[in-house]
Amino acid sequence: MYTVRVTVRLKPSLLDSAGRTVRGSLVAIGFEEVQEARIGKVIELKVDSVEPERLKAMCSKLLANPVTEDFEIEVVE
Amino acid sequence: MYTVRVTVRLKPSLLDSAGRTVRGSLVAIGFEEVQEARIGKVIELKVDSVEPERLKAMCSKLLANPVTEDFEIEVVE
């Protein structure tokens, strides 16, 4: 059994309104050093086998929206 | 300016119903090798200064719910 970590992030060119709100809240409670926050997802999968092409297909078909998001796949162990 | 990555995950003892749904959907579209999926958040911060105690406080006060979630802080660059 392998652990695969998929990180899905909004494309850098897109405005992350949730991240902007988080940044504003951090500053409001005293963390003025925060200049930007962007929020993504991390999906940790336990899989029986690791085939890079199949992992990419999982991301582009279901885990990420390829129009608005980038994804990164790491085999952790 | 530093980049800090905060990963927030549901505590391992808690049922991740969204993750379970994702796992079911992956299996349904043919990815039978997926045994489990768990979903977390990744928050990428740009900060002027890195003080570990302040980063932990950001997590426990706002970015994570310490009752139900664990967090991990990495200074990326």
Side-chain angles (χ1 to χ4, degrees):
Chain A
M1 187 87 80
Y2 302 88
T3 301
V4 174
R5 183 177 302 148
V6 174
T7 307
V8 178
R9 298 180 177 84
L10 208 60
K11 284 184 189 285
S13 57
L14 297 181
L15 175 69
D16 180 352
S17 54
R20 191 169 278 203
T21 302
V22 164
R23 189 252 167 177
S25 302
L26 284 169
V27 170
I29 62 171
F31 298 107
E32 302 86 1
E33 69 266 47
V34 181
Q35 298 304 321
E36 191 190 344
R38 290 183 74 84
I39 301 178
K41 286 182 289 194
V42 57
I43 301 133
E44 282 170 346
L45 303 173
K46 302 267 186 210
V47 292
D48 290 328
S49 61
V50 169
E51 286 178 51
E53 287 310 314
R54 287 180 66 83
L55 293 172
K56 276 188 212 165
M58 288 181 206
C59 291
S60 56
K61 287 187 184 169
L62 194 130
L63 301 177
N65 175 348
V67 177
T68 57
E69 293 171 325
D70 291 326
F71 57 84
E72 186 183 341
I73 298 167
E74 296 158 274
V75 180
V76 182
E77 62 196 27
Chain B
M1 186 86 80
Y2 302 88
T3 300
V4 175
R5 183 177 301 149
V6 174
T7 307
V8 179
R9 296 180 179 84
L10 209 58
K11 285 185 190 284
S13 57
L14 298 180
L15 175 70
D16 180 352
S17 53
R20 190 169 280 205
T21 302
V22 164
R23 188 253 167 178
S25 301
L26 284 169
V27 170
I29 62 171
F31 298 107
E32 302 85 2
E33 67 265 46
V34 180
Q35 298 303 322
E36 191 190 345
R38 291 183 73 84
I39 301 177
K41 286 182 290 195
V42 57
I43 301 133
E44 281 170 345
L45 303 173
K46 302 270 185 205
V47 292
D48 290 330
S49 61
V50 169
E51 286 179 52
E53 287 310 314
R54 287 178 67 82
L55 293 173
K56 276 188 212 166
M58 289 180 206
C59 290
S60 57
K61 287 186 182 168
L62 194 129
L63 300 177
N65 175 348
V67 177
T68 57
E69 293 171 323
D70 292 325
F71 57 83
E72 186 184 341
I73 298 167
E74 297 157 274
V75 180
V76 183
E77 61 195 30

